[in-house]
Amino acid sequence: MNKTIISFGAAVLLALGGCSASGQSEGEEQNNSGDASQQEEQAEQENEAEKESEPVFEGEEEQAETTEPKAGEQEQTTTLPSVNEDGVLQNPEALNALVNREYHLPSDYVPEDLTVPDVRFPYEEDVPKKQVREPAAKALESLFSGAEEEGLYLFAVSGYRSYDRQESIFAANAEEDGVEAANQYSAQAGESEHQSGLAMDVSSQSADFTLTNAFGETPEGMWLKENAHEYGFVIRYPEDKTDITGYQYEPWHLRYVGKELAAALHDTNQTLEEYYGTAE
Ligand SMILES: [Zn+2]
């Protein structure tokens, strides 16, 4: 796959990664997620550190060739997600899949193990967005329980979103604001982690169940930031990584990657892009 990153380079607007961009609290999300492949879960961070210092965005070209994991040590091998020439992931069901504007989910990809997690939702309707994949559902239930032990009550707002639904959302946003503007806050179909069934947007009563930055400042949001990894989740679009993820800070967007990888990413303060070496 080519590093299409470049194409987005200039245009890399910090888009709302995945979630409610235009106002709505939940419905309109536009994310990216995907599945990539079979990689191990250790990332190396040595080189990362240096790279991070520069908020590069355009500079991507140079390091673009560094498709390989950071020149880490011998044991650490992070295999880049396998994609075809169009950037479509060949192993979309991988739990450690990298899904973003460069690595897309197939248009016909629908996870086979979608299920509604036994957690709190701020609404009653039985809708598809209540679903996530089986492993993510179990982990989410544990995470909610863990928060409860601290007296914190999280609410699941929006999980799975089909390719078609994402397409409609983007089209609606584009119609309203124009394609260029829509691209800044909305993911196009295939580029949303919500299609992977591994993402769930969460909120709290203290944040009025909205998907906003305010959630990040609530006790629930702060607890998530510190503890999500222990349950296999990461805050996919951190506040200090917007230039790397290409998405605005989304304290509400949880992405399941499994405990091992989540811990590695948390401990090394890396995003999936950095982990896979596609960031710079
Ligand atoms: Zn989201």
Side-chain angles (χ1 to χ4, degrees):
M1 62 223 73
N2 308 319
K3 283 58 241 309
T4 5
I5 338 171
I6 320 150
S7 358
F8 293 109
V12 188
L13 341 148
L14 305 181
L16 253 204
C19 318
S20 75
S22 35
Q24 329 282 55
S25 12
E26 29 87 289
E28 354 296 273
E29 322 206 347
Q30 35 277 355
N31 309 316
N32 2 322
S33 37
D35 293 300
S37 38
Q38 54 290 323
Q39 12 302 97
E40 273 44 343
E41 354 237 67
Q42 311 269 45
E44 36 258 305
Q45 38 279 32
E46 357 268 278
N47 312 341
E48 262 16 80
E50 326 158 88
K51 306 186 173 184
E52 264 142 45
S53 20
E54 356 162 59
V56 192
F57 220 7
E58 313 287 307
E60 263 124 1
E61 293 100 295
E62 332 159 318
Q63 295 156 304
E65 27 267 297
T66 318
T67 303
E68 304 304 314
K70 306 61 231 310
E73 306 337 308
Q74 33 283 52
E75 41 211 310
Q76 316 265 51
T77 315
T78 307
T79 309
L80 262 182
S82 173
V83 295
N84 68 15
E85 56 186 11
D86 295 322
V88 178
L89 293 160
Q90 302 300 290
N91 189 12
E93 66 287 336
L95 295 178
N96 58 0
L98 173 64
V99 180
N100 56 27
R101 291 199 171 86
E102 189 187 2
Y103 295 86
H104 308 166
L105 288 167
S107 59
D108 61 354
Y109 178 63
V110 177
E112 295 179 350
D113 55 351
L114 289 172
T115 184
V116 177
D118 184 16
V119 298
R120 242 174 268 104
F121 289 90
Y123 51 85
E124 299 292 328
E125 310 90 283
D126 187 16
V127 286
K129 68 181 180 184
K130 279 188 167 177
Q131 307 171 98
V132 287
R133 289 182 55 189
E134 199 64 65
K138 287 194 168 61
L140 196 69
E141 289 164 3
S142 297
L143 179 144
F144 274 48
S145 296
E148 276 181 43
E149 287 172 16
E150 301 300 320
L152 302 172
Y153 297 86
L154 293 166
F155 285 78
V157 176
S158 190
Y160 173 67
R161 198 179 309 143
S162 71
Y163 183 95
D164 289 347
R165 168 111 178 94
Q166 187 69 39
E167 197 165 46
S168 306
I169 291 174
F170 185 84
N173 288 333
E175 185 169 356
E176 176 133 344
D177 300 327
V179 175
E180 202 172 322
N183 260 321
Q184 302 189 30
Y185 64 79
S186 180
Q188 299 218 26
E191 303 176 8
S192 172
E193 282 198 331
H194 284 275
Q195 188 192 337
S196 73
L198 297 173
M200 178 60 88
D201 297 327
V202 301
S203 189
S204 60
Q205 185 162 25
S206 56
D208 292 329
F209 310 117
T210 59
L211 305 181
T212 59
N213 283 3
F215 171 66
E217 303 306 316
T218 65
E220 292 82 4
M222 291 189 285
W223 181 87
L224 260 193
K225 205 183 301 182
E226 296 304 315
N227 300 282
H229 67 282
E230 292 180 13
Y231 301 89
F233 289 92
V234 295
I235 304 290
R236 184 68 174 84
Y237 308 110
E239 191 164 21
D240 60 346
K241 303 283 185 167
T242 57
D243 56 335
I244 291 171
T245 63
Y247 282 101
Q248 292 177 9
Y249 175 41
E250 295 192 355
W252 62 83
H253 181 98
L254 288 176
R255 160 62 197 276
Y256 181 75
V257 294
K259 285 186 183 179
E260 198 177 342
L261 179 53
L265 293 175
H266 180 267
D267 294 349
T268 60
N269 190 33
Q270 284 187 308
T271 58
L272 283 177
E273 282 79 10
E274 293 167 289
Y275 172 73
Y276 286 119
T278 65
E280 49 268 291

